[in-house]
Amino acid sequence: MSKLLSLNKYRSLLTTIVIFMLLAVIISSINIYTLARENQIELNQLVKNEERLLHSESNILSARINSAIGDLLYLATNYEIEKNENKPGDEIAREWQAFADNKRLYDQIRFIDQNGNEKIRINYFPDGSVLVPDSELQNKKDRYYFTETEKLG
């Protein structure tokens, strides 16, 4: 009888351990699934946020590029109109200087002729722009921005 009681206790203990292990596996599986699902949701949210940020930055960059193109077209048109009206270069330079002072965006504004010679250069500083005297204007024909622009035709 004592062996039978001992065998019943052993079976009970074994049954309890098996049930405990099954419950532990089930609960662990649920936890792992839940964590994986939460991680996937978080990852999806991060991707959406990054896409929104990228779209926003792209719009800002496009606006800045469009603004710079507009400024360039304004300066080029202004130069052509002023030259056609036979205005002296220093008057055009003063208008460009006023443009630089009002824009407060460009470190330098230059007009470079087909030979690479600066005809007008405005240097901008936080306290205002400075028209560079003719004696300090330089030839820029060997600079990358001149040679690359020259290739455009």
Side-chain angles (χ1 to χ4, degrees):
M1 178 90 154
S2 123
K3 274 190 170 189
L4 188 59
L5 194 57
S6 195
L7 189 58
N8 282 339
K9 283 183 180 182
Y10 177 74
R11 283 185 187 163
S12 277
L13 181 62
L14 189 59
T15 303
T16 303
I17 290 172
V18 168
I19 291 172
F20 176 78
M21 293 301 283
L22 285 173
L23 286 174
V25 167
I26 291 170
I27 291 171
S28 295
S29 297
I30 291 171
N31 281 338
I32 290 170
Y33 173 78
T34 303
L35 286 173
R37 184 75 179 129
E38 287 175 359
N39 285 342
Q40 187 61 45
I41 291 169
E42 189 175 323
L43 179 63
N44 290 342
Q45 189 63 37
L46 284 171
V47 168
K48 286 179 185 178
N49 288 343
E50 290 300 317
E51 286 173 349
R52 278 193 290 263
L53 181 62
L54 183 62
H55 181 71
S56 177
E57 292 293 329
S58 175
N59 288 340
I60 290 169
L61 183 60
S62 291
R64 287 183 179 176
I65 288 171
N66 287 336
S67 177
I69 290 170
D71 291 346
L72 181 61
L73 291 173
Y74 167 78
L75 292 170
T77 302
N78 172 270
Y79 184 83
E80 288 300 317
I81 290 171
E82 302 291 334
K83 275 298 186 188
N84 288 338
E85 293 178 0
N86 293 321
K87 287 193 177 178
D90 59 334
E91 191 172 325
I92 297 170
R94 282 193 302 278
E95 289 179 19
W96 285 18
Q97 186 177 10
F99 174 83
D101 284 334
N102 289 315
K103 263 303 196 182
R104 293 182 243 165
L105 181 62
Y106 305 107
D107 292 335
Q108 290 185 330
I109 299 175
R110 303 174 188 203
F111 179 80
I112 300 174
D113 71 10
Q114 294 172 333
N115 298 317
N117 296 312
E118 290 180 324
K119 295 297 184 181
I120 299 172
R121 184 171 81 220
I122 312 294
N123 290 335
Y124 181 76
F125 300 100
D127 55 337
S129 63
V130 174
L131 174 61
V132 176
D134 290 346
S135 62
E136 294 179 26
L137 296 177
Q138 303 170 355
N139 183 285
K140 301 294 183 179
K141 71 178 180 183
D142 294 326
R143 299 293 175 98
Y144 76 92
Y145 50 84
F146 184 78
T147 57
E148 292 298 315
T149 303
E150 215 174 15
K151 290 178 188 176
L152 295 174

